[in-house]
Amino acid sequence: MLAAGALDVFMTAVQMKKNRPGTLLTVLCGRNDVDRMADLLLTHTTSFGVRVHEVQRRKLARKSVKLKTKFGQIEVKIGRLGGKIVSRSPEFEACKRAAAKADVAVKEVYSEATRVAEETL
């Protein structure tokens, strides 16, 4: 579903009728992709139906910047609300690569990138 353009996909363990275990598959997508995603679900799963719910989404204005850390350049997403920075989030994959190169834990690189972002932005 992600490769087909879904914004996010996740599974939740649920209890179905007659106390049967089940899995709820949730696919988040844009309005223009609903029919295509439903077709994919019905074609590639055993489901006989798909429920569609429209929801509203609010997003922070975002920008990515590269910051110099002791582990090298790390890309960090900056989220703004009303022009004010409210979120700084290092890119996980960049942290993962830097951690492998430095032979340290990913959380160490992530913490360092977060610290640099908070001090410089």
Side-chain angles (χ1 to χ4, degrees), residues 13-101:
V14 295
Q15 190 170 341
M16 306 296 287
K17 61 184 172 187
K18 299 181 182 178
N19 294 323
R20 293 183 185 133
T23 302
L24 174 65
L25 178 62
T26 302
V27 178
L28 303 179
C29 66
R31 181 179 288 156
N32 295 335
D33 294 325
V34 171
D35 289 335
R36 189 167 54 82
M37 294 294 158
D39 289 351
L40 284 170
L41 285 169
L42 293 169
T43 301
H44 295 283
T45 69
T46 59
S47 181
F48 276 76
V50 174
R51 290 184 180 99
V52 176
H53 304 275
E54 188 168 330
V55 297
Q56 294 180 352
R57 180 179 183 209
R58 294 190 65 186
K59 301 188 303 183
L60 295 175
R62 342 178 168 189
K63 177 181 174 183
S64 288
V65 296
K66 289 189 178 181
L67 298 178
K68 184 177 181 179
T69 73
K70 65 182 180 182
F71 299 107
Q73 294 273 340
I74 301 292
E75 190 171 346
V76 177
K77 291 180 289 193
I78 307 303
R80 295 179 190 272
L81 183 62
K84 180 182 175 187
I85 294 176
V86 295
S87 180
R88 298 163 184 88
S89 181
E91 285 290 344
F92 181 80
E93 292 300 323
C95 292
K96 186 175 162 183
R97 285 190 299 274
K101 187 175 180 181

